[in-house]
Amino acid sequence: MHVLARICVQRPVFATVISLSLLVAGVLGYVGLGVDRYPDIDIPFVVVNTALPGAAPDEVATEVSDKIERQVNTIGGIDELTSTSTIGSSQIGVRFNLQKNIDVAGEEVRAKVALARRDLPPEALEPVVRKIDIGAFPVVSFGISANQSMRDIFEYVDKVVRRRLETVDGVGEVRITGGRARQINLVLDPYRLQAYGLTPADVSSAVGKHNAEMPGGTVERGDRQLNLRTLGRVERPEEFNDLPIKYLGTRQICIKDVGYADDGEARATSSASVDGREAVVIEVIKQSGANALNVVDGAKDRMAVLQKAMPKGYQVQVVRDQSTYIRASLHAVREHLILGAVLAALVVLMFLGSGRSTVIAALAIPTSILATFGVMNLLGFTQNQVTLLALTLSVGIVIDDAIVVLENTYRVLEVYRLSPHDAAIRATREIGLAVVAITLSLVAVFLPVAFLGGITGRFFKSFGITMACAVSLSMFVSFSLTPMLCSRWLEDPTEGDEPAR
């Protein structure tokens, strides 16, 4: 490394360009870094949800859960396989080893569930396979209320607000809690059904048969080919009453003969209130790896635009905002980072008693820290409590190498009374191996943290790598920028000496 120091001392412009390149790369990396509260880690966990309407838990376990488990259990790398069977629903959780790629695990589970689907009961709904992504969590929630029915509010939020928020950059999903979805309910009279020899299943089958659109073939006209579709959808709720169920001789039995269609609402499965007033809460979930602050700001801006176009009487209120906690925690860590750098410079000033020496040593802090931001961006890390904690702890370490080089340069100047140019070269040659040994020992302490096993290792991986990068960059700065500044800014002890005769 003393060769690098000699080159930088002899060519100060080269050393300056290298340092400025590190600063520019660091600033660009800082601007491009995502911001989050915690590191973005992947845990290979897949959930399979299957509905069997009306079935008892024992039947769900036997007819659904067991059959899917037998297929999924053949996948390699499974750490834990659990299942929960409730009334009409089966949920199977598959946790893989941490070395398993979450995308590969999800595809393998889907393939096995597809094989098990043919053995499930015909009335079972299509299984839903989804990967659990802890990085995709609600970042902001809005409560929407109005002097209208909960069905009308839900319809407006679902058809207008949700679709507009989903187009915000970085938004992965928008969930709605509370309200009542619009639903056409068929109210049947059991006595009339019995009188006509019908069952609710017959009514359901008739609705599915007569309320459908299907391909109608093709029509060829010369060199043109037209695709036809049979339009059989019911356009108004009251038209359900005229749908035929069966024929008794020449008489057609319709739904209106055994009941009626009601333009109502679905059964409530969730409830939400804001300040004691029933409301619809819409949660914005960010994509994994997206900048949480940008997603929140984009969602708020879009909601402000939507609020201006909402019908009269609609009120929008932010009920949960994760950006508040993220900004507060990151602000505190950044404040500690800056305060630590200032205090480290003051300690150097106290012991060295020289303003020039303090500046030379203190410049290693911003140069090393900013360059580390560039490496973080290259490695796909984000600004979060863990990575910024690593940088905060490294503030007192990245200045050590520069202090060692500076102190030895001072010693060479006083003992050998060389020019600052020659003293910087000799000083770095004398302690080059010691500085490298110090840096490698620090890297050997922090880098193994990145290779810890389990979820803890995934969580602290960015901590260990960030610390190791900051320390390594500080060594590079101490052999490039620091000796060059020493050769230019330190006082020359040979000035004023009489030339030898």
Side-chain angles (χ1 to χ4, degrees), residues 24-35 289-291 294 373-374 376-378 380-383:
V24 171
V27 171
L28 294 177
Y30 178 82
V31 173
L33 278 177
V35 180
N291 190 318
N294 290 342
F373 280 121
M376 290 169 55
N377 188 21
L378 186 64
F381 295 162
T382 61
Q383 291 185 67

Side-chain angles (χ1 to χ4, degrees), residues 391-408:
L391 293 177
T392 303
L393 295 177
S394 66
V395 165
I397 299 176
V398 297
I399 198 174
D400 290 347
D401 293 342
I403 292 176
V404 171
V405 173
L406 177 63
E407 275 295 300
N408 197 51

Side-chain angles (χ1 to χ4, degrees), residues 123-444:
E123 58 271 18
L125 302 183
E126 191 68 25
V128 178
V129 181
R130 59 188 181 92
K131 299 175 290 186
I132 301 300
D133 189 357
I134 63 174
F137 59 91
V139 291
V140 63
S141 301
F142 302 97
I144 302 177
S145 58
N147 295 323
Q148 298 183 11
S149 66
M150 295 308 299
R151 192 190 83 163
D152 294 338
I153 300 176
F154 182 90
E155 285 293 304
Y156 182 80
V157 172
D158 183 51
K159 298 296 189 301
V160 179
V161 180
R162 178 182 61 83
R163 296 179 181 180
R164 294 292 302 276
L165 287 178
E166 286 177 341
T167 61
V168 175
D169 187 28
V171 173
E173 182 184 358
V174 177
R175 295 177 185 171
I176 300 177
T177 304
R180 312 286 187 274
R182 182 189 182 191
Q183 179 174 287
I184 307 301
N185 300 312
L186 298 181
V187 183
L188 303 178
D189 187 337
Y191 298 105
R192 292 185 181 182
L193 287 175
Q194 185 177 7
Y196 289 113
L198 299 174
T199 64
D202 296 328
V203 179
S204 176
S205 177
V207 172
K209 183 188 303 181
H210 298 289
N211 182 37
E213 293 184 6
M214 60 188 65
T218 60
V219 175
E220 294 184 359
R221 296 181 58 185
D223 57 351
R224 299 177 60 189
Q225 183 174 345
L226 303 177
N227 294 322
L228 301 181
R229 292 190 63 82
T230 302
L231 302 180
R233 288 283 186 183
V234 174
E235 296 183 357
R236 297 187 301 274
E238 55 270 18
E239 293 180 4
F240 278 98
N241 294 320
D242 298 325
L243 294 181
I245 303 175
K246 65 179 297 187
Y247 288 89
L248 291 179
T250 59
R251 183 181 178 185
Q252 178 179 272
I253 307 300
C254 300
I255 291 180
K256 62 183 178 182
D257 296 322
V258 295
Y260 62 91
D262 176 48
D263 188 1
E265 57 188 30
R267 181 178 299 177
T269 58
S270 62
S271 177
S273 62
V274 178
D275 295 334
R277 184 181 182 184
E278 193 173 11
V280 174
V281 173
I282 187 167
E283 295 181 330
V284 178
I285 302 174
K286 76 178 188 69
Q287 296 174 350
S288 179
N291 190 318
L293 298 184
N294 290 342
V295 174
V296 173
D297 294 338
K300 287 183 176 179
D301 294 341
R302 183 63 56 83
M303 182 59 75
V305 175
L306 291 173
Q307 188 174 2
K308 296 178 181 179
M310 286 183 178
K312 186 178 180 180
Y314 275 73
Q315 298 179 357
V316 180
Q317 183 176 350
V318 178
V319 296
R320 181 185 302 167
D321 186 358
Q322 289 291 334
S323 66
T324 302
Y325 308 105
I326 296 175
R327 284 190 171 95
S329 60
L330 295 183
H331 176 74
V333 177
R334 289 168 181 166
E335 181 181 350
H336 296 160
L337 177 61
I338 296 174
L339 183 61
V342 173
L343 292 178
L346 291 178
V347 170
V348 173
L349 178 61
M350 183 186 305
F351 283 93
L352 295 183
S354 171
R356 291 186 178 183
S357 302
T358 301
V359 173
I360 292 174
L363 282 176
I365 298 178
T367 306
S368 303
I369 297 298
L370 284 176
T372 306
F373 280 121
V375 178
M376 290 169 55
N377 188 21
L378 186 64
L379 296 176
F381 295 162
T382 61
Q383 291 185 67
N384 53 70
Q385 289 186 348
V386 175
T387 54
L388 291 182
L389 174 63
L391 293 177
T392 303
L393 295 177
S394 66
V395 165
I397 299 176
V398 297
I399 198 174
D400 290 347
D401 293 342
I403 292 176
V404 171
V405 173
L406 177 63
E407 275 295 300
N408 197 51
T409 304
Y410 252 115
R411 184 188 66 83
V412 173
L413 283 172
E414 294 179 354
V415 173
Y416 299 100
R417 299 193 65 80
L418 299 176
S419 65
H421 179 280
D422 297 333
I425 296 176
R426 178 166 181 169
T428 52
R429 184 172 63 249
E430 290 178 352
I431 50 88
L433 184 61
V435 172
V436 173
I438 292 173
T439 303
L440 292 180
S441 64
L442 292 173
V443 172

Side-chain angles (χ1 to χ4, degrees), residues 45-47 102-107 110 129-133:
F45 193 85
V46 181
V47 175
I102 182 63
D103 296 324
V104 174
E107 292 301 323
R110 287 188 180 91
V129 181
R130 59 188 181 92
K131 299 175 290 186
I132 301 300
D133 189 357

Side-chain angles (χ1 to χ4, degrees), residues 45-50 64-70 72 81-85 90-94:
F45 193 85
V46 181
V47 175
V48 182
N49 291 312
T50 309
V64 179
S65 298
D66 290 347
K67 295 179 180 180
I68 296 179
E69 280 184 356
R70 282 197 295 267
V72 174
L81 180 63
T82 60
S83 65
T84 303
S85 300
S90 167
Q91 183 179 81
I92 298 176
V94 188

